[in-house]
């Protein structure tokens, strides 16, 4: 149980284009999903908290107009990197919190490696 | 002060030894505690959770929680080279806080 998928697993795009990343909880419902970014040899950095049916909450310094988050259902959240630039190249990881869990554990997707040329 | 503190390491142990990973947290009201393992280039994987004081064992892994000292640890017995990874401590209250991780190297 507690499986989270992400698609695509890797993507290469040209500078200025937009990229959409999907995060799905496969065997549980998640009212809350989280989006992280991780640069090589650095810690996870929380970008935003995605709440089903409402606006995402962004961490300080994360541009909400550049990183668009949609959480339209209890099993799907999407992150769109708009007008991507080489500095957006990173490992993007989502996680999901089980609605029915009393302990708030997060389960991570396998991540999406984005390379912007 | 960071909410969750971990020694970045690397912690090097020989194969077969016990690896001890430590974590302290600042919010005394924290309720749930987790250990994640992250291999290089991969996403974190939940390996242990603990919610009450004391020890919790799962195979070669033992999580220890001491709420009075605001301290949580992970022991890995009979360490294997495949245990070499970064171990992230996480703590929740109303929000989820990760430590920066401890890199473990198990030498054959």
């Amino acid at each position: 149980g507690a499986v989270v998928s992400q698609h695509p697993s890797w993507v290469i795009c040209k500078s200025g284009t937009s990229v959409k990343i999907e995060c799905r909880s496969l065997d549980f419902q998640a009212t809350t999903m989280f989006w992280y970014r991780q640069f090589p040899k650095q810690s996870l950095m929380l970008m935003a908290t995605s709440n089903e049916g409402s606006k995402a909450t962004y961490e300080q310094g994360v541009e909400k107009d550049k990183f668009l988050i949609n959480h339209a259902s209890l099993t799907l959240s999407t992150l769109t990197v708009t007008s991507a630039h080489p500095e957006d190249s990173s490992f993007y990881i989502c996680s999901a919190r089980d609605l029915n869990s009393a302990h708030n554990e997060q389960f991570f997707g396998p991540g999406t490696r984005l390379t912007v040329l | 002060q960071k909410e969750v503190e971990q020694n970045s390491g690397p912690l090097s142990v020989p194969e077969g030894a016990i690896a001890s990973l430590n974590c302290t947290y600042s919010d005394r009201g924290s309720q749930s505690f987790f250990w994640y393992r992250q291999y290089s280039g991969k996403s974190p994987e939940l390996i242990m959770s603990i919610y009450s004081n004391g020890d919790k064992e799962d195979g070669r892994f033992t999580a220890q929680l001491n709420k009075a000292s605001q301290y949580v640890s992970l022991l890995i017995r009979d360490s294997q080279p495949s245990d070499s990874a970064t171990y992230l401590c996480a703590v929740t209250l109303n929000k989820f806080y990760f430590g920066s991780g401890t890199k473990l190297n198990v030498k054959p």
Side-chain angles (χ1 to χ4, degrees):
Chain A
V3 178
V4 177
S5 71
Q6 264 183 260
H7 179 80
S9 55
W10 60 270
V11 57
I12 301 173
C13 69
K14 292 182 179 180
S15 186
T17 60
S18 294
V19 174
K20 180 186 282 189
I21 302 170
E22 291 187 349
C23 177
R24 293 181 185 273
S25 55
L26 298 185
D27 52 1
F28 65 99
Q29 293 183 323
T31 51
T32 306
M33 292 184 173
F34 305 87
W35 288 96
Y36 294 85
R37 181 168 54 181
Q38 189 173 37
F39 293 106
K41 300 189 178 183
Q42 293 190 22
S43 303
L44 285 174
M45 188 195 83
L46 179 64
M47 299 175 65
T49 300
S50 170
N51 300 298
E52 187 266 337
S54 64
K55 291 183 179 181
T57 304
Y58 290 83
E59 296 298 303
Q60 192 172 9
V62 178
E63 299 175 57
K64 62 180 181 181
D65 294 330
K66 180 169 182 63
F67 298 100
L68 301 179
I69 291 172
N70 183 276
H71 193 156
S73 77
L74 287 174
T75 59
L76 174 64
S77 176
T78 61
L79 168 69
T80 301
V81 183
T82 62
S83 187
H85 287 94
E87 58 265 30
D88 298 322
S89 299
S90 188
F91 191 40
Y92 291 85
I93 313 172
C94 74
S95 70
R97 192 162 69 195
D98 188 341
L99 171 66
N100 295 313
S101 169
H103 299 294
N104 293 324
E105 58 265 70
Q106 289 186 27
F107 300 98
F108 285 87
T112 297
R113 196 161 300 281
L114 170 64
T115 302
V116 184
L117 303 176
Chain B
Q1 182 187 5
K2 290 184 180 179
E3 288 82 5
V4 181
E5 299 266 12
Q6 290 183 260
N7 188 319
S8 62
L11 172 67
S12 292
V13 299
E15 184 175 356
I18 296 175
S20 177
L21 303 161
N22 305 313
C23 170
T24 58
Y25 58 95
S26 61
D27 194 327
R28 193 171 285 279
S30 299
Q31 297 172 333
S32 302
F33 307 85
F34 308 96
W35 283 98
Y36 289 82
R37 176 177 62 198
Q38 186 176 22
Y39 291 113
S40 180
K42 302 294 185 182
S43 67
E45 172 192 11
L46 178 63
I47 56 171
M48 287 290 286
S49 56
I50 186 165
Y51 314 116
S52 55
N53 277 327
D55 295 0
K56 179 181 177 183
E57 187 175 317
D58 184 0
R60 295 187 296 113
F61 299 100
T62 299
Q64 299 175 318
L65 175 61
N66 184 325
K67 289 188 176 182
S69 301
Q70 295 175 235
Y71 177 95
V72 59
S73 65
L74 179 71
L75 301 178
I76 306 174
R77 290 181 299 281
D78 188 23
S79 295
Q80 302 296 310
S82 58
D83 295 325
S84 298
T86 296
Y87 289 81
L88 303 169
C89 172
V91 170
T92 68
L93 178 52
N94 55 358
K95 197 172 177 180
F96 213 88
Y97 296 99
F98 279 97
S100 56
T102 298
K103 185 174 174 63
L104 172 67
N105 289 329
V106 180
K107 297 181 178 180

